[in-house]
């Protein structure tokens, strides 16, 4: 659906996007992650034809974004960052205008208007002026605008930015539903959201792609993936000398707890499970054991690992 | 053409579905009425050889309100969109840049033409109310409204250009007034320095003041028509490229 080859964007001396390449298949929901100023919005703006690339190329549904910009724009539903809307228009009026602009007319426009307002939960505010709507509703209007012409590809720039947790949930559920039949590229900072909604993640930093894979693969390839915590009633020094003698254990740290127990963090090589052997060891030595758990790494740690500056 | 029509009506609505358009209309009607009534009083005091139409549009008050109509009409066209960020939504929809430029231009131009409807009725009312033969001919009326339409075409284009340059409405308005003022002053050079200087024909060629005087005598001169139409097209061409340049600059 999207093929990006060595796409770059330069603002004067500043290189905002540096030869990024990645692909998105039809039907995928892709999370586009990166710290602030990593080049996410610039990349999305290039894809939607708002900014020209300085070099490189991208194709959407087989069409070149630069030469066939108008055709490409018909296939994209784009929701820009902060969702700019004509605030003096009413919701339905705005959506009708946008729908007509994107080539819908007559009964087709009327049915689509009803459908998107239903999908985005806007039916009861359709007569309100956009300037009287809360941020969450404006976000939904933006989404309805992106959806109205039944685009093959949805590009959403921080769709949940500035919403409260309930609204974030609602938007996330909407994205999950839409992901059934659309290809979606969404940029965001909220990593739990990506873990829940996306089947592919592209992480960029300083204009370069740092990783592009499914969230599960990314997490399992993480260095910190194998980390087991256990709580034993022994002195910290005892554990720190005995535990590292097991195979695949790379490092052990301890932390005395207030009730006389000690919590050990056991770092193990990736893709190994040491919990059974740890339990056996504790039994063999007669150490009281009350908790043993593998800490699963999450996308947040992957993100921090890939983009931290130190 | 369909896209142009949709955008055009959206822009036109944004003038008249808010108090904004009606306020300008009211202001223009008031100023037109004031200059007409002042001129009529002048006619009472002393006999004049010129017609009422000519005298009304030669009054200095005319230029004062006339030149301020354009920044008010045009300053928010592009600057407001780029400030609010809606330009991004507009230009990522399947529309061509010239659709955007021309729809905005023609919407404000049509609004400008609507502003002159009261003035037309003022002159018609004169005959109905006073019951004396009109102190002007219909040729003069046709002439003056054609030159107003022509000057408006160019000055609205200047306003579009100014609005395209910045994302601040105020700056757009000031730049527009600046351009109009310089254009007006260039036309006044022959008035100040006489027509003996070498460039005098040029300055009188672009002088809106002289065009207005000619046309309000009922003389339809083709040279100003060509002048206004070509400069309008050129200004719109520049506006189009400015808007595109912001998107396509390296």
């Amino acid at each position: 659906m999207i093929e990006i080859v060595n796409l770059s964007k330069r603002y004067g001396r500043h290189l905002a996007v540096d030869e990024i390449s990645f692909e998105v298949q039809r039907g995928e929901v892709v999370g586009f992650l990166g710290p602030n100023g990593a080049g996410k919005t610039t990349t999305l703006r290039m894809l939607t034809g708002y900014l020209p690339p300085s070099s490189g190329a991208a194709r959407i549904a087989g069409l070149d974004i630069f030469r066939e910009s108008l055709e490409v724009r018909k296939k994209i539903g784009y929701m820009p960052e902060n969702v700019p809307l004509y605030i003096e228009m009413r919701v339905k009026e705005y959506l009708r205008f946008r729908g007509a602009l994107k080539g819908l007319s007559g009964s087709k426009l009327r049915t689509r208007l009803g459908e998107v307002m239903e999908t985005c939960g806007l039916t009861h505010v359709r007569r309100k002026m956009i300037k009287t709507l809360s941020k969450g509703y404006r976000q939904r209007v933006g989404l309805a605008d992106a959806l109205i012409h039944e685009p093959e590809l949805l590009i959403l720039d921080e769709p949940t930015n500035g919403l409260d947790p309930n609204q974030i949930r609602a938007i996330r559920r909407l994205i999950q539903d839409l992901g059934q039949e659309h290809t979606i590229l969404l940029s965001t900072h909220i990593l739990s959201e990506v873990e829940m909604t996306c089947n592919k993640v592209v992480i960029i930093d300083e204009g370069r792609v740092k990783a592009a894979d499914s969230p599960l693969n990314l997490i399992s390839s993480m260095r910190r993936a194998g980390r087991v915590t256990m709580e034993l009633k022994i002195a910290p020094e005892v554990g720190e000398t005995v535990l590292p003698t097991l195979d695949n254990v790379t490092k052990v740290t301890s932390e005395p707890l207030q009730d006389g127990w000690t919590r050990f963090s056991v770092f193990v090589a990736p893709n190994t499970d040491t919990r059974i052997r740890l339990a056996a060891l504790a039994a063999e030595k007669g150490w009281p054991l009350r908790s043993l758990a593998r800490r699963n790494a999450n996308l947040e740690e992957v993100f921090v690992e890939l983009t931290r500056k130190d | 053409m369909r896209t142009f029509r949709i955008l055009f009506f959206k822009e036109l609505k944004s003038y008249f579905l808010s108090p904004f358009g009606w306020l300008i209309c009211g202001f223009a009607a008031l100023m037109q009425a004031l200059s007409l009534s002042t001129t009529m009083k002048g006619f009472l005091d002393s006999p004049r050889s010129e017609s009422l139409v000519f005298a009304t549009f030669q009054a200095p008050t005319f230029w004062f309100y006339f030149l301020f109509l354009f920044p008010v009409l045009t300053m928010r066209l592009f600057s407001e969109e780029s400030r609010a960020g809606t330009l991004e939504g507009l230009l990522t929809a399947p529309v061509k840049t010239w659709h955007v430029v021309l729809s905005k231009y023609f919407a404000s131009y049509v609004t400008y033409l609507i502003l002159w409807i009261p003035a037309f009725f003022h002159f018609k009312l004169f005959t109905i109310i006073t019951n004396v033969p009109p102190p002007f001919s219909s040729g003069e009326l046709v002439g003056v409204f054609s030159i107003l339409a022509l000057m408006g075409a160019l000055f609205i284009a200047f306003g579009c250009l100014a609005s395209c340059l910045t994302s601040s409405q105020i700056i757009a308005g000031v730049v527009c007034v600046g351009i109009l003022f310089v254009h007006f002053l260039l036309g006044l050079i022959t008035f100040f320095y006489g027509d003996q200087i070498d460039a005098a024909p040029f300055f009188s060629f672009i002088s809106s003041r002289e065009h207005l005087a000619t046309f309000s005598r009922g003389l339809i001169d083709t040279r100003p028509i060509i002048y206004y139409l070509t400069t309008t097209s050129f200004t719109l061409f520049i506006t189009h490229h400015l808007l595109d340049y912001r998107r396509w600059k390296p």
Side-chain angles (χ1 to χ4, degrees):
Chain A
M1 191 71 199
I2 310 179
E3 306 153 55
I4 300 178
V5 184
N6 296 335
L7 202 65
S8 298
K9 178 70 190 176
R10 193 177 271 285
Y11 295 113
R13 281 188 177 178
H14 174 62
L15 193 58
V17 174
D18 185 8
E19 304 217 327
I20 61 166
S21 306
F22 64 89
E23 277 187 30
V24 175
Q25 303 301 324
R26 198 171 284 269
E28 278 183 329
V29 179
V30 178
F32 196 44
L33 308 178
N36 286 327
K40 298 188 297 286
T41 300
T42 306
T43 309
L44 298 186
R45 282 183 169 172
M46 285 193 282
L47 288 179
T48 51
Y50 184 66
L51 289 175
S54 302
S55 67
R59 298 171 82 78
I60 287 176
L63 298 165
D64 187 275
I65 53 157
F66 191 79
R67 288 186 189 82
E68 291 148 305
S69 176
L70 222 54
E71 291 304 308
V72 167
R73 284 186 248 166
K74 280 182 191 158
K75 295 187 183 294
I76 297 180
Y78 175 45
M79 179 168 137
E81 197 178 6
N82 301 326
V83 204
L85 303 164
Y86 294 113
I87 53 166
E88 75 285 5
M89 282 174 121
R90 287 171 201 281
V91 172
K92 193 173 176 185
E93 182 192 7
Y94 176 75
L95 291 175
R96 191 188 294 120
F97 162 68
R98 294 291 295 180
L101 207 57
K102 291 170 178 184
L104 301 179
S105 58
S107 62
K108 176 79 185 152
L109 179 58
R110 272 196 300 281
T111 31
R112 280 305 291 159
L113 266 177
E115 281 168 17
V116 291
M117 287 196 295
E118 186 69 42
T119 320
C120 301
L122 289 167
T123 314
H124 61 288
V125 293
R126 64 186 184 280
R127 290 182 199 287
K128 282 199 171 178
M129 272 173 120
I130 293 176
K131 67 175 157 200
T132 65
L133 296 181
S134 67
K135 176 117 200 203
Y137 273 105
R138 289 187 194 196
Q139 216 95 357
R140 292 193 208 180
V141 175
L143 200 57
D145 167 22
L147 285 172
I148 193 153
H149 57 305
E150 296 179 295
E152 295 172 36
L153 171 67
L154 272 178
I155 295 184
L156 312 173
D157 199 350
E158 304 197 0
T160 52
N161 191 7
L163 300 185
D164 71 36
N166 290 328
Q167 293 169 326
I168 290 180
R169 282 188 133 190
I171 295 270
R172 189 194 297 148
R173 207 171 305 128
L174 202 55
I175 291 170
Q176 270 166 339
D177 291 344
L178 293 169
Q180 312 282 323
E181 47 206 298
H182 293 84
T183 312
I184 304 180
L185 177 62
L186 68 109
S187 89
T188 180
H189 296 297
I190 303 163
L191 296 150
S192 57
E193 187 174 298
V194 175
E195 260 174 302
M196 272 179 260
T197 50
C198 301
N199 37 40
K200 187 178 172 181
V201 179
V202 176
I203 298 180
I204 71 166
D205 186 26
E206 294 178 330
R208 291 209 183 93
V209 175
K210 296 282 179 177
D213 209 334
S214 74
L216 277 179
N217 286 347
L218 280 179
I219 291 166
S220 61
S221 67
M222 261 289 291
R223 246 192 289 158
R224 283 191 216 158
R227 182 166 141 199
V228 177
T229 54
M230 61 194 305
E231 285 175 25
L232 295 165
K233 197 163 187 174
I234 51 170
E237 309 80 54
V238 180
E240 278 185 29
T241 46
V242 179
L243 291 175
T245 56
L246 284 177
D247 287 345
N248 291 333
V249 173
T250 51
K251 191 179 154 199
V252 176
T253 60
S254 62
E255 176 194 353
L257 299 175
Q258 282 172 352
D259 52 1
W261 290 68
T262 310
R263 179 184 291 143
F264 293 93
S265 293
V266 183
F267 293 84
V268 296
N271 303 319
T272 55
D273 198 347
T274 338
R275 279 174 296 178
I276 300 159
R277 284 182 293 128
L278 283 169
L281 180 71
E284 185 194 308
K285 301 268 184 193
W287 295 338
L289 169 69
R290 72 172 181 190
S291 135
L292 176 64
R294 184 159 85 169
R295 245 185 102 263
N296 280 323
N298 55 21
L299 205 53
E300 190 173 325
E301 286 171 302
V302 179
F303 181 81
V304 171
E305 181 76 21
L306 286 169
T307 58
R308 70 172 170 202
K309 300 284 182 284
D310 51 2
Chain B
M1 206 54 207
R2 186 176 169 271
T3 318
F4 170 78
R5 207 178 60 232
I6 295 164
L7 286 169
F8 170 76
F9 282 111
K10 185 241 154 205
E11 291 296 330
L12 199 59
K13 268 193 209 163
S14 76
Y15 279 108
F16 290 104
L17 287 186
S18 67
F20 178 70
W22 299 104
L23 272 176
I24 312 177
C25 272
F27 168 75
L30 187 76
M31 293 310 290
Q32 289 155 5
L34 274 178
S35 43
L36 181 64
S37 66
T38 324
T39 318
M40 279 159 66
K41 283 205 192 84
F43 271 52
L44 270 183
D45 296 341
S46 58
R48 297 280 292 266
S49 59
E50 298 106 351
S51 76
L52 182 64
V53 169
F54 181 83
T56 308
F57 288 99
Q58 285 306 302
T61 47
F62 169 74
W63 288 102
F64 271 107
Y65 77 87
F66 180 68
L67 289 183
F68 281 95
L69 292 178
F70 298 101
V72 177
L73 279 172
T74 58
M75 64 185 188
R76 74 202 167 92
L77 284 178
F78 295 94
S79 51
E80 178 60 22
E81 295 238 18
S82 87
R83 190 195 57 77
T86 44
L87 204 59
E88 187 173 354
L90 192 58
L91 293 176
T92 49
V95 297
K96 294 192 174 116
T97 308
W98 69 262
H99 285 141
V100 177
V101 174
L102 288 189
S103 62
K104 284 181 183 293
Y105 170 75
F106 278 108
S108 55
Y109 185 52
V110 167
T111 311
Y112 163 78
L113 292 182
I114 291 173
L115 297 186
W116 287 105
I117 294 176
F120 177 76
F121 282 108
H122 291 161
F123 286 110
K124 286 285 155 203
L125 275 175
F126 181 88
T127 21
I128 298 169
I129 293 174
T130 56
N131 214 9
V132 294
F136 53 85
S137 69
S138 53
E140 285 159 335
L141 217 49
V142 169
V144 85
F145 282 108
S146 352
I147 194 65
L148 285 174
L150 285 168
M151 288 197 295
L154 177 60
F155 295 171
I156 294 275
F158 282 157
C160 286
L161 180 71
S163 178
C164 201
L165 287 171
T166 162
S167 57
S168 153
Q169 284 194 40
I170 307 291
I171 296 177
V174 171
V175 170
C176 178
V177 170
I179 299 176
L180 292 178
F181 198 62
V182 168
H183 183 264
F184 181 68
L185 283 185
L186 286 179
L188 276 185
I189 282 183
T190 47
F191 179 77
F192 288 132
Y193 298 102
D195 45 12
Q196 298 308 308
I197 52 174
D198 285 347
F202 171 76
F203 290 122
S204 72
F205 180 71
I206 65 163
S207 168
S208 296
R209 215 183 105 267
E210 288 184 26
H211 298 154
L212 183 67
T214 322
F215 275 69
S216 53
R217 286 196 186 92
L219 282 169
I220 309 282
D221 187 355
T222 49
R223 282 168 305 173
I225 299 179
I226 302 296
Y227 168 68
Y228 284 112
L229 293 185
T230 48
T231 27
T232 303
S233 323
F234 183 67
T235 312
L236 287 178
F237 170 80
I238 304 264
T239 311
H240 174 281
H241 280 268
L242 262 176
L243 196 63
D244 248 10
Y245 173 72
R246 290 162 68 106
R247 292 170 58 210
W248 301 118
K249 68 183 159 190

